[in-house]
Amino acid sequence: EVQLVESGGGSVETGGSLTLSCVASGLTHSYYCMGWFRQAAGKEREAVASFYTGGGSAYYADSVQGRFTISQDNAMNAMYLQMNSLQPEDTAMYYCAADYDPFGGNCFRDWNEYNFWGQGTQVTVSS
């Protein structure tokens, strides 16, 4: 059974930083798309950042490019999202997600193309 568990959310002021963590278990294959998504109140879930465990570049939404960094720790089966220069518009529930993909390609996909999800962690940025 695949389990993804996020942590690290919280409340910060504009310009602050947070690092989200996602610990994965049950990912039995070698190649997955791994991604962070977020959903603000009343809005659709959107992709924030993603990467392919088989290698290649990470992908970022334009709105977070240069401020957020996605990374992984294979030894810990963990994924992280370092978020700097946070803005009120970054306020949302943040989710980590995984999708088995033996072929690679662009992992920056719509949320409905990912099969496995964590429960989410709330990030609130005050002005």
Side-chain angles (χ1 to χ4, degrees):
E1 179 186 4
V2 175
Q3 285 193 323
L4 304 173
V5 180
E6 304 98 332
S7 62
S11 297
V12 297
E13 294 184 347
T14 297
S17 298
L18 283 173
T19 300
L20 306 183
S21 301
C22 173
V23 176
S25 60
L27 297 178
T28 58
H29 300 290
S30 298
Y31 302 115
Y32 290 85
C33 282
M34 303 293 295
W36 286 97
F37 292 76
R38 66 185 181 187
Q39 187 166 18
K43 294 189 177 181
E44 191 172 336
R45 190 171 298 190
E46 63 175 357
V48 175
S50 62
F51 67 89
Y52 184 57
T53 61
S57 300
Y59 303 91
Y60 296 92
D62 290 342
S63 58
V64 307
Q65 181 76 45
R67 300 188 298 124
F68 290 12
T69 303
I70 191 171
S71 62
Q72 63 175 322
D73 181 341
N74 289 336
M76 297 292 293
N77 286 332
M79 176 173 70
Y80 306 96
L81 186 68
Q82 173 68 44
M83 306 185 295
N84 298 325
S85 301
L86 284 162
Q87 304 296 314
E89 52 266 34
D90 295 316
T91 295
M93 184 71 78
Y94 283 71
Y95 300 90
C96 68
D99 181 45
Y100 172 58
D101 187 345
F103 306 111
N106 190 345
C107 291
F108 200 75
R109 306 169 178 169
D110 287 342
W111 66 269
N112 55 12
E113 297 187 57
Y114 274 74
N115 289 318
F116 304 110
W117 291 87
Q119 81 289 350
T121 186
Q122 178 68 37
V123 172
T124 302
V125 184
S126 58
S127 57

